Amino acid sequence: MAVIKKDAQGGRGTYATLTQVVNYVDEQGFDLQWPTQLVDGRLYVDTAVRKKGTDKWIASNCLIPVEVGDSRGMSVMQALGSALTYARRYSTCGAFGLATTDDDGETSGYKKRSVKGMTDEQKTQIDRILEDCKIPVGQENGFIGNVLQTRVAYGTLTEYQAQRFIDAYRQHNDKVKEAPSEQ
């Protein structure tokens, strides 16, 4: 997994900006679009990805709701812009398995999950698994989701989901080691 330097300062610490995330994706040879969907009266942002030089766009299915809460002195349009930027960044991070810290979460009104995120040790273990399995950048979510039998975004895995994935990989390797070899 790539490390994106978090050099922007926000009220709650440092973070990687949407520009930094987009620059990383561009350097990897991908184009981006952020289609929006209105589902049951709620606006969602997704990330569509294509390899540069190709015509086929693929939606990531990493839908992030656009929620405008307390605007803290901003105009309605400024608050919406903040919420859209937040959703685009997190949808793109989810599509590419990237993680960043929160920047405009307070102003966008997006509600944080109450579950604890994966640990640094779990992230390191999962990065090794993805590398061992030769999972291409941008396909981490699908691979992990297939193992867990649910839609996930690597960058927002919970500690529980991360451990389930690691355990499933270990169990698979143990079975392969125990299987009688054909000679």
Side-chain angles (χ1 to χ4, degrees), residues 30-166:
F30 292 95
D31 291 321
L32 293 171
Q33 288 183 350
W34 293 292
T36 56
Q37 300 178 38
L38 192 60
V39 179
D40 295 328
R42 283 182 85 178
L43 183 63
Y44 289 84
V45 170
D46 195 3
T47 295
V49 179
R50 76 173 175 190
K51 192 73 173 163
K52 288 187 182 290
T54 64
D55 293 331
K56 186 174 181 181
W57 288 93
I58 301 169
S60 70
N61 292 318
C62 187
L63 297 174
I64 303 293
V66 177
E67 296 184 15
V68 179
D70 179 10
S71 61
R72 299 187 192 253
M74 287 190 259
S75 72
V76 172
M77 293 310 292
Q78 287 171 322
L80 177 60
S82 177
L84 283 167
T85 298
Y86 182 92
R88 287 174 178 149
R89 183 164 46 91
Y90 277 93
S91 180
T92 303
C93 287
F96 285 87
L98 305 172
T100 65
T101 58
D102 192 15
D103 70 334
D104 53 359
E106 284 186 38
T107 58
S108 72
Y110 185 75
K111 295 175 179 51
K112 289 183 165 267
R113 294 180 177 188
S114 61
V115 292
K116 187 175 178 185
M118 70 177 143
T119 65
D120 290 341
E121 181 180 330
Q122 288 173 320
K123 181 187 166 309
T124 300
Q125 289 177 23
I126 292 173
D127 286 345
R128 277 194 217 121
I129 293 168
L130 295 170
E131 187 175 307
D132 290 346
C133 294
K134 297 178 177 31
I135 304 303
V137 172
Q139 296 184 15
E140 300 92 342
N141 296 341
F143 180 74
I144 295 169
N146 284 338
V147 171
L148 298 178
Q149 297 296 302
T150 188
R151 279 190 180 166
V152 296
Y154 178 34
T156 59
L157 284 176
T158 65
E159 187 174 16
Y160 174 74
Q161 289 171 321
Q163 194 58 53
R164 278 186 47 220
F165 176 76
I166 293 165

Side-chain angles (χ1 to χ4, degrees), residues 10-32:
R12 298 169 64 194
T14 59
Y15 64 96
T17 65
L18 177 60
T19 301
Q20 289 174 283
V21 173
V22 168
N23 286 342
Y24 167 78
V25 170
D26 184 62
E27 289 168 6
Q28 301 306 307
F30 292 95
D31 291 321
L32 293 171

